[in-house]
């Protein structure tokens, strides 16, 4: 619960400044009382061991792009084999919990798969409103069997954008269909 909340953001820096805090003691070693320095050193060593196990001993192979991915889950995709039909991804991704490309993942999981992030990205040129770019994480359609379900996910994962049509003539030129909603009398 602690790692899945914002509480660690608020408490970590306070705890780091308190050298004698009881939080520094590793309770899994009752015969020893660790210090802040011990825990930081042990954590560093455990991190190096983890990276060597996951990526090998060559430090140049320790690339974030080799582990970070993005998956767009659907509520019905929580169960196999429906996950293959409803979920979009995974795709290689660059980003993280504390980056401009805010792709959130649980730090307690081993695969660093983001399952939530920005709902859209937009670049608006206020000097030329017809020069706007944008991208949706999955696509334009929420309908699983539609060709636009997931059709922007790979572009989104690569940080790419598509032109966003703002004037009526451009929209009419690229539209594939038209849905009209009208109230019944």
């Amino acid at each position: 619960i602690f790692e899945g909340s914002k509480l660690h953001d608020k408490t970590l820096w306070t705890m780091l400044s308190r050298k004698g805090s009881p939080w520094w003691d590793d309770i899994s070693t009752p015969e020893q009382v660790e210090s802040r320095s011990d825990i930081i050193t042990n954590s560093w060593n455990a991190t190096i061991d983890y990276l060597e196990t996951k990526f090998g001993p060559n430090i140049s192979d320790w690339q974030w792009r080799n582990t970070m991915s993005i998956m767009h889950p659907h509520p019905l995709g929580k169960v196999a084999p429906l996950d293959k039909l409803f979920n979009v991804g995974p795709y290689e991704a660059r980003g993280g919990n504390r980056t401009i490309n805010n792709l959130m993942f649980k730090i307690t999981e081993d695969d660093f798969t983001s399952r939530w992030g920005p709902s859209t990205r937009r670049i608006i040129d206020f000097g030329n409103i017809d020069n706007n770019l944008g991208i949706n994480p999955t696509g334009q359609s929420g309908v699983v069997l539609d060709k636009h379900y997931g059709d922007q996910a790979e572009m989104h994962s690569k940080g790419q954008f598509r032109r966003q049509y703002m004037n009526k003539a451009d929209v009419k030129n690229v539209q594939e269909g038209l849905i009209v909603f009208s109230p019944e009398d």
Side-chain angles (χ1 to χ4, degrees), residues 18 58 61 82-83 110 117 132 136-137 157-159:
R18 295 192 178 141
N58 185 353
D61 292 334
L82 296 178
D83 58 333
D110 190 44
N132 293 319
N136 289 329
S157 73
K158 293 177 178 177

Side-chain angles (χ1 to χ4, degrees), residues 27 30 35 67 73 75 98 171 178:
I27 61 171
S35 68
T67 194
R98 306 292 185 269
V171 171
L178 181 65

